[in-house]
mmCIF file of all heavy atoms in Angstrom:
data_model
loop_
_atom_site.group_PDB
_atom_site.id
_atom_site.type_symbol
_atom_site.label_atom_id
_atom_site.label_comp_id
_atom_site.label_asym_id
_atom_site.label_seq_id
_atom_site.Cartn_x
_atom_site.Cartn_y
_atom_site.Cartn_z
ATOM 1 N N GLN A 82 -1.971 17.411 -10.935
ATOM 2 C CA GLN A 82 -2.947 16.836 -11.857
ATOM 3 C C GLN A 82 -2.504 15.430 -12.233
ATOM 4 O O GLN A 82 -1.437 15.225 -12.803
ATOM 5 C CB GLN A 82 -3.067 17.703 -13.117
ATOM 6 C CG GLN A 82 -3.539 19.124 -12.855
ATOM 7 C CD GLN A 82 -4.973 19.192 -12.371
ATOM 8 O OE1 GLN A 82 -5.784 18.324 -12.675
ATOM 9 N NE2 GLN A 82 -5.311 20.236 -11.630
ATOM 10 N N CYS A 83 -3.336 14.452 -11.901
ATOM 11 C CA CYS A 83 -3.031 13.046 -12.163
ATOM 12 C C CYS A 83 -3.987 12.538 -13.245
ATOM 13 O O CYS A 83 -5.201 12.688 -13.117
ATOM 14 C CB CYS A 83 -3.201 12.243 -10.874
ATOM 15 S SG CYS A 83 -2.734 10.521 -11.017
ATOM 16 N N TYR A 84 -3.429 11.954 -14.290
ATOM 17 C CA TYR A 84 -4.232 11.498 -15.426
ATOM 18 C C TYR A 84 -4.127 9.993 -15.603
ATOM 19 O O TYR A 84 -3.034 9.432 -15.576
ATOM 20 C CB TYR A 84 -3.757 12.176 -16.713
ATOM 21 C CG TYR A 84 -3.904 13.675 -16.696
ATOM 22 C CD1 TYR A 84 -2.841 14.490 -16.316
ATOM 23 C CD2 TYR A 84 -5.105 14.279 -17.058
ATOM 24 C CE1 TYR A 84 -2.975 15.875 -16.304
ATOM 25 C CE2 TYR A 84 -5.245 15.657 -17.045
ATOM 26 C CZ TYR A 84 -4.181 16.443 -16.666
ATOM 27 O OH TYR A 84 -4.310 17.813 -16.647
ATOM 28 N N ILE A 85 -5.268 9.360 -15.809
ATOM 29 C CA ILE A 85 -5.276 7.941 -16.166
ATOM 30 C C ILE A 85 -5.337 7.836 -17.692
ATOM 31 O O ILE A 85 -5.849 8.737 -18.358
ATOM 32 C CB ILE A 85 -6.462 7.181 -15.521
ATOM 33 C CG1 ILE A 85 -7.812 7.808 -15.905
ATOM 34 C CG2 ILE A 85 -6.287 7.091 -14.009
ATOM 35 C CD1 ILE A 85 -9.026 7.001 -15.467
ATOM 36 N N PRO A 86 -4.820 6.745 -18.248
ATOM 37 C CA PRO A 86 -4.850 6.612 -19.712
ATOM 38 C C PRO A 86 -6.252 6.286 -20.223
ATOM 39 O O PRO A 86 -7.128 5.869 -19.461
ATOM 40 C CB PRO A 86 -3.894 5.436 -19.965
ATOM 41 C CG PRO A 86 -3.882 4.662 -18.693
ATOM 42 C CD PRO A 86 -4.110 5.651 -17.586
ATOM 43 N N ASP A 87 -6.454 6.512 -21.508
ATOM 44 C CA ASP A 87 -7.707 6.108 -22.156
ATOM 45 C C ASP A 87 -7.655 4.598 -22.359
ATOM 46 O O ASP A 87 -6.918 4.099 -23.207
ATOM 47 C CB ASP A 87 -7.853 6.782 -23.530
ATOM 48 C CG ASP A 87 -8.218 8.254 -23.424
ATOM 49 O OD1 ASP A 87 -8.804 8.646 -22.401
ATOM 50 O OD2 ASP A 87 -7.912 9.006 -24.363
ATOM 51 N N ILE A 88 -8.410 3.880 -21.553
ATOM 52 C CA ILE A 88 -8.525 2.426 -21.716
ATOM 53 C C ILE A 88 -10.003 2.137 -21.923
ATOM 54 O O ILE A 88 -10.845 2.554 -21.118
ATOM 55 C CB ILE A 88 -7.988 1.666 -20.474
ATOM 56 C CG1 ILE A 88 -6.496 1.971 -20.281
ATOM 57 C CG2 ILE A 88 -8.227 0.167 -20.623
ATOM 58 C CD1 ILE A 88 -5.890 1.356 -19.032
ATOM 59 N N TYR A 89 -10.314 1.479 -23.023
ATOM 60 C CA TYR A 89 -11.715 1.221 -23.348
ATOM 61 C C TYR A 89 -12.198 -0.073 -22.706
ATOM 62 O O TYR A 89 -11.461 -1.042 -22.604
ATOM 63 C CB TYR A 89 -11.900 1.200 -24.870
ATOM 64 C CG TYR A 89 -11.705 2.574 -25.460
ATOM 65 C CD1 TYR A 89 -10.435 3.018 -25.803
ATOM 66 C CD2 TYR A 89 -12.776 3.448 -25.600
ATOM 67 C CE1 TYR A 89 -10.238 4.308 -26.299
ATOM 68 C CE2 TYR A 89 -12.594 4.729 -26.093
ATOM 69 C CZ TYR A 89 -11.321 5.146 -26.438
ATOM 70 O OH TYR A 89 -11.138 6.428 -26.909
ATOM 71 N N GLY A 90 -13.432 -0.025 -22.245
ATOM 72 C CA GLY A 90 -14.007 -1.195 -21.601
ATOM 73 C C GLY A 90 -15.193 -0.796 -20.751
ATOM 74 O O GLY A 90 -15.724 0.315 -20.861
ATOM 75 N N LYS A 91 -15.591 -1.713 -19.853
ATOM 76 C CA LYS A 91 -16.760 -1.501 -19.003
ATOM 77 C C LYS A 91 -16.416 -1.945 -17.585
ATOM 78 O O LYS A 91 -15.835 -3.012 -17.388
ATOM 79 C CB LYS A 91 -17.934 -2.316 -19.558
ATOM 80 C CG LYS A 91 -19.201 -2.286 -18.745
ATOM 81 C CD LYS A 91 -20.255 -3.222 -19.307
ATOM 82 C CE LYS A 91 -20.011 -4.664 -18.986
ATOM 83 N NZ LYS A 91 -20.079 -5.012 -17.576
ATOM 84 N N GLU A 92 -16.790 -1.114 -16.613
ATOM 85 C CA GLU A 92 -16.582 -1.494 -15.212
ATOM 86 C C GLU A 92 -17.475 -2.689 -14.875
ATOM 87 O O GLU A 92 -18.573 -2.823 -15.407
ATOM 88 C CB GLU A 92 -16.904 -0.324 -14.269
ATOM 89 C CG GLU A 92 -15.803 0.721 -14.176
ATOM 90 C CD GLU A 92 -15.890 1.789 -15.249
ATOM 91 O OE1 GLU A 92 -16.835 1.749 -16.052
ATOM 92 O OE2 GLU A 92 -15.000 2.657 -15.294
ATOM 93 N N LYS A 93 -17.015 -3.545 -13.973
ATOM 94 C CA LYS A 93 -17.731 -4.776 -13.629
ATOM 95 C C LYS A 93 -19.141 -4.519 -13.122
ATOM 96 O O LYS A 93 -20.062 -5.270 -13.412
ATOM 97 C CB LYS A 93 -16.945 -5.565 -12.574
ATOM 98 C CG LYS A 93 -15.671 -6.150 -13.099
ATOM 99 C CD LYS A 93 -14.898 -6.863 -12.012
ATOM 100 C CE LYS A 93 -13.560 -7.341 -12.559
ATOM 101 N NZ LYS A 93 -12.707 -7.878 -11.524
ATOM 102 N N ARG A 94 -19.344 -3.457 -12.367
ATOM 103 C CA ARG A 94 -20.653 -3.220 -11.752
ATOM 104 C C ARG A 94 -21.676 -2.644 -12.736
ATOM 105 O O ARG A 94 -22.861 -2.595 -12.451
ATOM 106 C CB ARG A 94 -20.526 -2.292 -10.538
ATOM 107 C CG ARG A 94 -20.188 -0.871 -10.906
ATOM 108 C CD ARG A 94 -20.148 0.064 -9.712
ATOM 109 N NE ARG A 94 -19.769 1.389 -10.165
ATOM 110 C CZ ARG A 94 -20.609 2.292 -10.619
ATOM 111 N NH1 ARG A 94 -21.901 2.038 -10.658
ATOM 112 N NH2 ARG A 94 -20.174 3.480 -11.032
ATOM 113 N N LYS A 95 -21.224 -2.197 -13.910
ATOM 114 C CA LYS A 95 -22.118 -1.552 -14.877
ATOM 115 C C LYS A 95 -22.600 -2.545 -15.933
ATOM 116 O O LYS A 95 -21.874 -3.449 -16.327
ATOM 117 C CB LYS A 95 -21.397 -0.381 -15.560
ATOM 118 C CG LYS A 95 -21.044 0.747 -14.607
ATOM 119 C CD LYS A 95 -20.364 1.882 -15.346
ATOM 120 C CE LYS A 95 -20.042 3.032 -14.415
ATOM 121 N NZ LYS A 95 -19.278 4.090 -15.078
ATOM 122 N N LYS A 96 -23.820 -2.318 -16.397
ATOM 123 C CA LYS A 96 -24.379 -3.180 -17.444
ATOM 124 C C LYS A 96 -23.833 -2.804 -18.819
ATOM 125 O O LYS A 96 -23.672 -3.648 -19.685
ATOM 126 C CB LYS A 96 -25.909 -3.078 -17.452
ATOM 127 C CG LYS A 96 -26.552 -3.697 -16.226
ATOM 128 C CD LYS A 96 -28.051 -3.631 -16.291
ATOM 129 C CE LYS A 96 -28.646 -4.278 -15.051
ATOM 130 N NZ LYS A 96 -30.091 -4.199 -15.000
ATOM 131 N N THR A 97 -23.612 -1.493 -19.026
ATOM 132 C CA THR A 97 -23.108 -1.025 -20.313
ATOM 133 C C THR A 97 -21.929 -0.083 -20.090
ATOM 134 O O THR A 97 -21.815 0.517 -19.021
ATOM 135 C CB THR A 97 -24.201 -0.263 -21.103
ATOM 136 O OG1 THR A 97 -24.635 0.853 -20.313
ATOM 137 C CG2 THR A 97 -25.383 -1.160 -21.421
ATOM 138 N N PRO A 98 -21.070 0.063 -21.084
ATOM 139 C CA PRO A 98 -19.950 1.005 -20.951
ATOM 140 C C PRO A 98 -20.464 2.443 -20.838
ATOM 141 O O PRO A 98 -21.610 2.734 -21.180
ATOM 142 C CB PRO A 98 -19.158 0.820 -22.254
ATOM 143 C CG PRO A 98 -19.679 -0.412 -22.885
ATOM 144 C CD PRO A 98 -21.057 -0.639 -22.357
ATOM 145 N N GLY A 99 -19.597 3.339 -20.376
ATOM 146 C CA GLY A 99 -19.938 4.751 -20.305
ATOM 147 C C GLY A 99 -20.128 5.328 -21.691
ATOM 148 O O GLY A 99 -19.873 4.669 -22.709
ATOM 149 N N LYS A 100 -20.555 6.569 -21.745
ATOM 150 C CA LYS A 100 -20.871 7.245 -23.011
ATOM 151 C C LYS A 100 -19.721 7.174 -24.019
ATOM 152 O O LYS A 100 -19.940 6.950 -25.202
ATOM 153 C CB LYS A 100 -21.234 8.703 -22.702
ATOM 154 C CG LYS A 100 -21.714 9.498 -23.884
ATOM 155 C CD LYS A 100 -22.109 10.895 -23.457
ATOM 156 C CE LYS A 100 -22.539 11.746 -24.626
ATOM 157 N NZ LYS A 100 -22.841 13.121 -24.224
ATOM 158 N N GLU A 101 -18.488 7.380 -23.544
ATOM 159 C CA GLU A 101 -17.329 7.359 -24.438
ATOM 160 C C GLU A 101 -16.657 5.987 -24.487
ATOM 161 O O GLU A 101 -15.668 5.805 -25.190
ATOM 162 C CB GLU A 101 -16.319 8.431 -24.022
ATOM 163 C CG GLU A 101 -16.856 9.846 -24.194
ATOM 164 C CD GLU A 101 -15.850 10.903 -23.767
ATOM 165 O OE1 GLU A 101 -14.632 10.688 -23.928
ATOM 166 O OE2 GLU A 101 -16.292 11.954 -23.278
ATOM 167 N N GLY A 102 -17.180 5.034 -23.710
ATOM 168 C CA GLY A 102 -16.643 3.676 -23.726
ATOM 169 C C GLY A 102 -15.330 3.495 -22.981
ATOM 170 O O GLY A 102 -14.664 2.472 -23.128
ATOM 171 N N LYS A 103 -14.944 4.486 -22.166
ATOM 172 C CA LYS A 103 -13.664 4.424 -21.461
ATOM 173 C C LYS A 103 -13.866 3.989 -20.021
ATOM 174 O O LYS A 103 -14.864 4.332 -19.397
ATOM 175 C CB LYS A 103 -12.994 5.802 -21.461
ATOM 176 C CG LYS A 103 -12.662 6.316 -22.829
ATOM 177 C CD LYS A 103 -12.127 7.736 -22.741
ATOM 178 C CE LYS A 103 -11.929 8.323 -24.125
ATOM 179 N NZ LYS A 103 -11.509 9.718 -24.060
ATOM 180 N N LEU A 104 -12.888 3.275 -19.504
ATOM 181 C CA LEU A 104 -12.892 2.929 -18.094
ATOM 182 C C LEU A 104 -12.588 4.173 -17.270
ATOM 183 O O LEU A 104 -11.745 4.987 -17.659
ATOM 184 C CB LEU A 104 -11.827 1.870 -17.791
ATOM 185 C CG LEU A 104 -12.065 0.466 -18.339
ATOM 186 C CD1 LEU A 104 -10.849 -0.405 -18.063
ATOM 187 C CD2 LEU A 104 -13.314 -0.151 -17.737
ATOM 188 N N GLY A 105 -13.271 4.292 -16.131
ATOM 189 C CA GLY A 105 -12.985 5.386 -15.218
ATOM 190 C C GLY A 105 -11.953 4.956 -14.194
ATOM 191 O O GLY A 105 -11.366 3.869 -14.286
ATOM 192 N N VAL A 106 -11.728 5.789 -13.195
ATOM 193 C CA VAL A 106 -10.763 5.487 -12.142
ATOM 194 C C VAL A 106 -11.086 4.135 -11.507
ATOM 195 O O VAL A 106 -10.200 3.315 -11.274
ATOM 196 C CB VAL A 106 -10.747 6.615 -11.080
ATOM 197 C CG1 VAL A 106 -9.925 6.213 -9.869
ATOM 198 C CG2 VAL A 106 -10.210 7.910 -11.686
#
Side-chain angles (χ1 to χ4, degrees):
Q82 299 293 333
C83 185
Y84 298 95
I85 57 172
D87 285 335
I88 298 176
Y89 291 86
K91 176 185 77 65
E92 281 87 2
K93 291 177 185 173
R94 70 176 178 86
K95 295 181 178 175
K96 291 182 179 177
T97 59
K100 186 177 177 184
E101 294 180 33
K103 298 175 186 176
L104 290 174
V106 171

